[in-house]
Amino acid sequence: MKSIDIKSPAKINLYLKVLAKNDDGYHDIDTSFQLIDLCDNISFQKTEKGITIKSNLSFLENEDNTILESAMSLLDLTHGKFGVDITIHKNIPIGAGLGGGSSNAASTIVALNKLWGLGLSHNKLVDIGLKIGADVPFFLHGNNAYGKGIGDLLRSRDSIEDKILLIDPKINNSSKKMFHMLDSWREKNKHSSKYKQNDFWDIFIEANKEIKEFYNIASSEYDLNLSGSGSCMFITYQTKKDIKEILKKIPSNWRFFFCKPLQYSPICYIK
């Protein structure tokens, strides 16, 4: 095998509860991960030596990204024996709570394990992925799941059936910063959140006037949800008629996507 092409999917969190902070700086969570059909496209071409990355987003061609980190982790195990040219076309919004970077990492780990014939076990791949990001084990799991621990304790579940209207306010949220802001907010507010679906709603709304205005308009008629630490929001629906009115209220400088749920990640089909 000389090449692998793969779709690297996004996820949403149907709910997200942030629990205690661990000594390592990570927080325990209680969540429900759902895969969706918004995907980045990644191609892996086997070469004799070295790693190159080309992308429609220039920052991915630099050294600080999860794709290169994942590829280097596997390459180190081979003592530099192989190489790969990676091309990625990003469609998943950045810093949006959709797990794009973690999904790309998982796709890279699974693809290179196959392309380079390493034969690493699933548990070994998870160990590698967990060093890159807390959501990577979920994407390596390849199936919708309830998540606990730091997101690495997973229990498979069936997909939802409704479609998803994904709303992107084009705000780049740093997960690390959002967790820090949540800790600070809780110290001042004694955990008195009024938002049940996602513990990040309070700080996300407080920090963004436009989000607060949209939430106040939309939440009176729709069950508006937040994914991850933001910034993407979503509504589940059955027919376009169900979301006809909310589409009129989305600010013109935002984006939105009509998505479908996935039961399995495309990485499950790399054999």
Side-chain angles (χ1 to χ4, degrees), residues 3-267:
S3 66
I4 292 175
D5 296 332
I6 190 170
K7 290 184 179 296
S8 185
K11 59 81 180 169
I12 54 174
N13 298 84
L14 300 180
Y15 66 83
L16 175 58
K17 302 299 178 185
V18 180
L19 308 176
K21 187 175 183 179
N22 300 319
D23 292 338
D24 60 7
Y26 281 106
H27 292 73
D28 284 339
I29 63 170
D30 179 8
T31 191
S32 181
F33 294 110
Q34 172 66 51
L35 295 162
I36 60 175
D37 67 350
L38 177 61
C39 299
D40 296 331
N41 299 311
I42 314 180
S43 297
F44 301 89
Q45 183 75 38
K46 187 177 181 180
T47 62
E48 292 185 0
K49 192 174 183 181
I51 299 169
T52 64
I53 301 176
K54 294 181 180 179
S55 175
N56 60 320
L57 298 181
S58 59
F59 82 92
L60 286 173
E61 298 177 357
N62 299 325
E63 293 187 4
D64 186 19
N65 66 77
T66 60
I67 299 171
L68 183 61
E69 187 176 355
S70 301
M72 288 299 300
S73 295
L74 268 68
L75 186 63
D76 287 347
L77 297 177
T78 75
H79 305 290
K81 185 177 179 181
F82 301 107
V84 65
D85 291 338
I86 303 172
T87 302
I88 174 168
H89 186 90
K90 287 290 290 183
N91 298 306
I92 302 171
I94 307 295
L98 302 176
S102 295
S103 181
N104 295 164
S107 297
T108 300
I109 290 169
V110 172
L112 294 185
N113 186 44
K114 177 65 177 180
L115 193 65
W116 290 343
L118 304 182
L120 301 175
S121 69
H122 177 76
N123 287 342
K124 178 61 177 178
L125 299 184
V126 170
D127 288 342
I128 294 169
L130 196 53
K131 295 175 183 178
I132 296 167
D135 283 350
V136 179
F138 162 68
F139 286 103
L140 288 168
H141 183 68
N143 190 3
N144 301 300
Y146 298 106
K148 292 192 175 183
I150 62 170
D152 59 328
L153 303 178
L154 302 163
R155 179 165 59 90
S156 295
R157 62 163 187 80
D158 291 337
S159 173
I160 62 172
E161 295 183 359
D162 288 346
K163 302 180 184 71
I164 301 108
L165 172 65
L166 190 66
I167 303 168
D168 174 21
K170 299 168 75 172
I171 296 171
N172 190 332
N173 273 359
S174 161
S175 294
K176 183 177 181 180
K177 181 179 179 181
M178 291 295 284
F179 274 102
H180 178 73
M181 289 173 63
L182 180 60
D183 288 339
S184 298
W185 185 91
R186 284 178 165 176
E187 288 178 6
K188 297 175 183 177
N189 293 275
K190 308 299 181 184
H191 300 259
S192 56
S193 174
K194 64 179 181 180
Y195 303 100
K196 303 303 181 184
Q197 182 263 333
N198 189 318
D199 284 349
F200 284 103
W201 266 125
D202 293 279
I203 58 171
F204 186 49
I205 287 175
E206 286 184 9
N208 298 279
K209 181 181 178 181
E210 194 174 23
I211 297 297
K212 184 176 183 179
E213 291 174 351
F214 178 73
Y215 183 89
N216 290 337
I217 293 171
S219 62
S220 61
E221 299 179 38
Y222 294 90
D223 184 15
L224 187 64
N225 302 280
L226 183 67
S227 185
S229 56
S231 60
C232 271
M233 299 162 280
F234 65 92
I235 293 167
T236 58
Y237 70 98
Q238 294 181 341
T239 69
K240 287 284 184 70
K241 183 179 179 181
D242 298 335
I243 55 172
K244 181 179 178 181
E245 294 303 316
I246 191 68
L247 291 174
K248 299 175 184 177
K249 297 173 182 177
I250 298 173
S252 59
N253 61 319
W254 293 8
R255 295 191 298 171
F256 57 87
F257 304 86
F258 299 111
C259 300
K260 294 179 181 178
L262 297 175
Q263 179 61 60
Y264 299 104
S265 169
I267 69 171

